[in-house]
Amino acid sequence: MTHWRLCGNLLPMECIRFYVFHLRSGITKLLLNYLRRFLRRQSVEIRSQFNTELEKFWRPYLVMVWKFNKSLNKLKGNEIKRFINNVDNTVSWLKNKFPNLSHMNYFCKALSLWKTISQFLFISKIDDNTNYEEELARIEIMIEKFYNIGRLTFLTDKDEGDHETFYVHCLRFYIVPHAKITFDRHGVGIGIFTMQGFEHRNKESKHIYNCHNNNSGNMCHPTMTRLYDKFYYNC
């Protein structure tokens, strides 16, 4: 919870965990930016065809953001997820259009790896029939491959690997050890480290405050009563 401005000296280092939701978004945007820079060097026809591919899973506004080279920070979590879920189609399209470009073939491999890795990041509940330790070992190999491919493609600007970001560094060197510790101690996946539950409660709280009082008298009492019922009884 370091965004609450707690002094770092108050937090034991072994308790630090990374927000997997933002990690997934940050790395996906990195991949998207690399792909967009590549496509902007291609013909108008190629760019138009790829825009048509994006229209299959993104709303028109986001396609315009992509088309006019605007910031991808406008992408929301669900839109990031839609791109990841459609990676197979994107990879197929790229391989069909650029079959002889080695660096694009590497990038397509990175996209395919990222789809599997990002799905693993959001595993929180582990079924009894799932061998999580074997899956973790497989993901560790995939993350290393993803990182090594990135050094030749999306993590490189002028020199090999000079464009590495904090999120990619975290993925490569910290996520797997943290996942092992989390599983050994608590029997759950690293997907538990997300603030989405808190953000959902925050939205519920604002809705109750805005819609269930008449803005007169002691607003705290009816608001807190409804919040208690909502959070405690989940009603």
Side-chain angles (χ1 to χ4, degrees):
M1 310 301 182
T2 52
H3 64 284
W4 286 347
R5 300 185 180 180
L6 288 175
C7 177
N9 294 332
L10 300 175
L11 303 173
M13 293 292 291
E14 66 271 14
C15 293
I16 292 177
R17 296 295 181 268
F18 300 100
Y19 190 5
V20 293
F21 180 81
H22 284 172
L23 184 143
R24 182 187 70 172
S25 297
I27 295 179
T28 304
K29 290 173 187 176
L30 183 67
L31 295 169
L32 284 167
N33 276 315
Y34 178 84
L35 178 58
R36 184 165 61 175
R37 288 197 303 271
F38 169 77
L39 290 175
R40 286 180 67 82
R41 299 194 295 267
Q42 311 306 315
S43 66
V44 173
E45 182 181 359
I46 289 292
R47 296 201 301 268
S48 178
Q49 290 176 5
F50 188 75
N51 291 341
T52 301
E53 292 295 313
L54 291 177
E55 290 172 354
K56 295 178 181 179
F57 54 88
W58 274 355
R59 53 195 172 99
Y61 169 73
L62 292 179
V63 178
M64 296 297 287
V65 168
W66 173 277
K67 181 178 178 181
F68 291 110
N69 202 31
K70 299 299 182 180
S71 173
L72 295 179
N73 289 331
K74 299 182 184 298
L75 294 175
K76 306 297 183 183
N78 286 335
E79 292 147 357
I80 292 286
K81 186 177 179 180
R82 289 193 193 103
F83 173 78
I84 293 173
N85 290 339
N86 283 273
V87 155
D88 293 340
N89 293 330
T90 301
V91 167
S92 178
W93 186 89
L94 290 170
K95 287 183 176 180
N96 182 53
K97 298 297 180 182
F98 310 102
N100 299 320
L101 287 181
S102 59
H103 71 92
M104 189 47 56
N105 287 330
Y106 281 128
F107 181 71
C108 287
K109 179 64 175 176
L111 285 176
S112 298
L113 288 170
W114 178 237
K115 180 180 180 180
T116 304
I117 293 169
S118 62
Q119 291 171 345
F120 170 82
L121 292 176
F122 278 74
I123 296 176
S124 55
K125 183 179 179 180
I126 300 173
D127 297 331
D128 295 335
N129 298 327
T130 302
N131 193 326
Y132 188 75
E133 292 174 312
E134 286 186 4
E135 180 68 10
L136 189 56
R138 187 174 74 92
I139 289 296
E140 185 173 11
I141 294 172
M142 296 179 72
I143 288 175
E144 184 176 358
K145 289 181 179 178
F146 178 77
Y147 182 82
N148 289 333
I149 292 173
R151 290 168 49 226
L152 304 175
T153 53
F154 60 90
L155 295 182
T156 295
D157 186 12
K158 296 179 181 179
D159 298 318
E160 183 178 315
D162 66 341
H163 200 56
E164 178 180 330
T165 65
F166 170 80
Y167 282 132
V168 176
H169 183 85
C170 172
L171 176 73
R172 173 64 180 87
F173 297 104
Y174 299 113
I175 287 296
V176 171
H178 285 175
K180 290 178 179 178
I181 293 171
T182 304
F183 178 70
D184 291 340
R185 290 180 180 175
H186 311 292
V188 294
I190 200 168
I192 65 170
F193 296 113
T194 173
M195 287 288 291
Q196 293 308 295
F198 290 93
E199 291 179 5
H200 176 68
R201 288 303 195 190
N202 181 46
K203 184 176 181 181
E204 288 179 329
S205 301
K206 290 179 179 178
H207 175 76
I208 289 173
Y209 180 82
N210 292 327
C211 300
H212 294 284
N213 72 78
N214 58 7
N215 294 322
S216 63
N218 183 7
M219 293 184 290
C220 180
H221 183 269
T223 301
M224 293 303 295
T225 301
R226 285 183 176 272
L227 283 175
Y228 180 84
D229 289 340
K230 186 71 175 179
F231 291 0
Y232 189 81
Y233 298 106
N234 197 27
C235 60

